[in-house]
Amino acid sequence: MNELERSMAHVASDEDLATVRALPTERLPKFAVVIPSFNQAKFLGETLDSVFAQDYPNMEVFVADGGSTDESVSIIQEYQKRHPGLLRYDSRPDGGHFPGVNKGIANTSGSIIAWINSDDLYLPDAFWKVAAFFHFNRCALVVYGRNRYVDSKLSPVVDYPVDWSPLLREQRRRMMHFCLQPQPSVFFRRDAVTLCGALASKILDYELWLRWQQDLQFHFIDEPLSLSRLHDDAITANADASLLLGICRTVHQYYGCVPFSWAYKYAHTTVHGAAWAKGETVVPGRRVRLLAWKNFIWLNLRWFPQLLARSVARLLASLREARRISA
């Protein structure tokens, strides 16, 4: 993100925040906080604390618990007593992470969706900053802010390498190489789901943002909004070669090729795992570089038939449209 781009990002002024805080509750956008969870009793309470500590008067909270066998349900029920009428949950097997998120979205009504996993946290005033953004940007559908990775005790590890451009073409180009948006810091209107669909892949938010950015502009709040916790059971900390292969396939689906950047990350993860998430510094070495080139060539050749099939399908669709127009 260059200085010009950063100067165009949103930062809520004290006056903006005061204006929004002065609104009557019924005029504030309603936040639907969706928390997918499975056996995260160790962290769930802190996540819920960070939600209710927002002190935002117009919100609902839904925990999509996938049938936890630990103390998760007891914790949720305790928070229901503390915050009557605000928190609901469903504790049944739901097929995994993204079906759980979709269940939460479907079981809430708030116009602004806030999706946070049960081991992550919101920073103070995050909801007010997001509410101020949407109040002064009525046509915007998606916005995200900064994020920091922390360890299990909330000690800082590294800032998420967030990026953004006001140019949709440039945003799409950068998204080819990396997921620019830190998922806990993304907030979107329910209309975005209606227009562009909900989660549909085990690649989770990256696939969703790739699909949405075909039609929607993503906006940026240049302030930290959330913390992502790295621990032994975290999805990020357990990224393996099969996940990276799935990401490569998803990128190929939307861009028609696997860029060398993802071929390299796939090779690095194959050799070293998610070493960075454990605070390890690893020198890539010759083996990783050679494997990256192999991946780059092999994956693009492997999925060339799918690319050809999609191109033929688009051509046939264009011919059908031309026939319809000329009829």
Side-chain angles (χ1 to χ4, degrees), residues 19-92:
T19 298
V20 174
R21 288 179 184 274
L23 293 173
T25 299
E26 61 272 14
R27 289 193 56 195
L28 288 170
K30 185 177 183 180
F31 278 61
V33 184
V34 174
I35 307 175
S37 182
F38 182 70
N39 286 340
Q40 290 284 359
K42 183 177 180 180
F43 304 119
L44 180 57
E46 286 183 286
T47 299
L48 290 169
D49 283 339
S50 79
V51 171
F52 291 114
Q54 297 297 312
D55 196 26
Y56 187 80
N58 194 12
M59 69 175 177
E60 57 182 327
V61 183
F62 188 94
V63 179
D65 182 81
S68 294
T69 55
D70 59 6
E71 299 300 315
S72 293
V73 172
S74 298
I75 292 171
I76 297 169
Q77 291 173 342
E78 175 61 30
Y79 277 83
Q80 279 187 314
K81 295 176 183 177
R82 297 186 201 174
H83 307 277
L86 294 182
L87 173 61
R88 292 179 295 122
Y89 75 98
D90 184 354
S91 184
R92 290 178 293 177

Side-chain angles (χ1 to χ4, degrees), residues 102-180:
N102 289 342
K103 178 170 66 176
I105 293 173
N107 281 275
T108 53
S109 61
S111 61
I112 306 298
I113 309 296
W115 159 26
I116 189 166
N117 296 327
S118 54
D119 48 2
D120 298 334
L121 297 92
Y122 286 121
L123 291 173
D125 289 335
F127 287 14
W128 287 107
K129 293 172 182 176
V130 172
F133 169 83
F134 281 117
H135 179 77
F136 292 105
N137 296 272
R138 302 299 176 91
C139 294
L141 292 175
V142 188
V143 69
Y144 62 99
R146 295 188 179 275
N147 167 275
R148 173 172 290 177
Y149 285 116
V150 296
D151 64 18
S152 60
K153 298 180 180 179
L154 303 183
S155 298
V157 175
V158 64
D159 286 348
Y160 188 97
V162 66
D163 200 358
W164 174 78
S165 174
L167 296 174
L168 187 55
R169 179 176 58 185
E170 179 62 15
Q171 183 89 349
R172 288 171 177 163
R173 185 192 69 79
R174 296 178 192 178
M175 275 287 283
M176 182 181 189
H177 303 283
F178 182 73
C179 185
L180 310 183

Side-chain angles (χ1 to χ4, degrees), residues 5-320:
E5 291 170 332
R6 188 169 185 181
S7 71
M8 299 174 71
H10 179 84
V11 177
S13 66
D14 291 341
E15 183 180 354
D16 291 343
L17 289 172
T19 298
V20 174
R21 288 179 184 274
L23 293 173
T25 299
E26 61 272 14
R27 289 193 56 195
L28 288 170
K30 185 177 183 180
F31 278 61
V33 184
V34 174
I35 307 175
S37 182
F38 182 70
N39 286 340
Q40 290 284 359
K42 183 177 180 180
F43 304 119
L44 180 57
E46 286 183 286
T47 299
L48 290 169
D49 283 339
S50 79
V51 171
F52 291 114
Q54 297 297 312
D55 196 26
Y56 187 80
N58 194 12
M59 69 175 177
E60 57 182 327
V61 183
F62 188 94
V63 179
D65 182 81
S68 294
T69 55
D70 59 6
E71 299 300 315
S72 293
V73 172
S74 298
I75 292 171
I76 297 169
Q77 291 173 342
E78 175 61 30
Y79 277 83
Q80 279 187 314
K81 295 176 183 177
R82 297 186 201 174
H83 307 277
L86 294 182
L87 173 61
R88 292 179 295 122
Y89 75 98
D90 184 354
S91 184
R92 290 178 293 177
D94 49 27
H97 197 114
F98 84 81
V101 177
N102 289 342
K103 178 170 66 176
I105 293 173
N107 281 275
T108 53
S109 61
S111 61
I112 306 298
I113 309 296
W115 159 26
I116 189 166
N117 296 327
S118 54
D119 48 2
D120 298 334
L121 297 92
Y122 286 121
L123 291 173
D125 289 335
F127 287 14
W128 287 107
K129 293 172 182 176
V130 172
F133 169 83
F134 281 117
H135 179 77
F136 292 105
N137 296 272
R138 302 299 176 91
C139 294
L141 292 175
V142 188
V143 69
Y144 62 99
R146 295 188 179 275
N147 167 275
R148 173 172 290 177
Y149 285 116
V150 296
D151 64 18
S152 60
K153 298 180 180 179
L154 303 183
S155 298
V157 175
V158 64
D159 286 348
Y160 188 97
V162 66
D163 200 358
W164 174 78
S165 174
L167 296 174
L168 187 55
R169 179 176 58 185
E170 179 62 15
Q171 183 89 349
R172 288 171 177 163
R173 185 192 69 79
R174 296 178 192 178
M175 275 287 283
M176 182 181 189
H177 303 283
F178 182 73
C179 185
L180 310 183
Q181 306 88 349
Q183 175 265 310
S185 290
V186 180
F187 297 78
F188 50 90
R189 294 190 192 273
R190 186 172 297 272
D191 292 340
V193 179
T194 302
L195 291 170
C196 300
L199 279 86
S201 168
K202 291 182 179 180
I203 307 305
L204 299 173
D205 51 304
Y206 191 30
E207 189 280 331
L208 186 67
W209 312 148
L210 287 173
R211 174 160 31 99
W212 282 11
Q213 74 169 9
Q214 295 180 102
D215 302 296
L216 304 180
Q217 175 69 57
F218 283 64
H219 300 268
F220 181 59
I221 297 174
D222 193 12
E223 295 188 75
L225 301 179
S226 67
L227 302 175
S228 293
R229 194 193 310 252
L230 298 173
H231 56 92
D232 290 342
D233 298 323
I235 294 174
T236 302
N238 286 281
D240 57 15
S242 63
L243 175 62
L244 268 292
L245 179 61
I247 291 174
C248 289
R249 183 189 296 274
T250 299
V251 172
H252 189 276
Q253 174 187 345
Y254 285 101
Y255 289 94
C257 71
V258 177
F260 186 79
S261 54
W262 277 115
Y264 182 87
K265 293 170 191 172
Y266 180 28
H268 195 282
T269 302
T270 300
V271 176
H272 298 296
W276 69 271
K278 302 168 186 174
E280 302 173 6
T281 301
V282 179
V283 178
R286 185 168 179 267
R287 180 186 175 191
V288 170
R289 289 192 291 271
L290 290 175
L291 184 57
W293 278 108
K294 177 184 176 181
N295 289 342
F296 176 65
I297 296 169
W298 170 65
L299 292 176
N300 281 295
L301 288 176
R302 175 184 178 183
W303 292 325
F304 178 76
Q306 289 92 322
L307 173 62
L308 183 60
R310 290 195 295 269
S311 299
V312 170
R314 285 194 293 269
L315 176 60
L316 292 175
S318 297
L319 290 173
R320 286 192 295 269

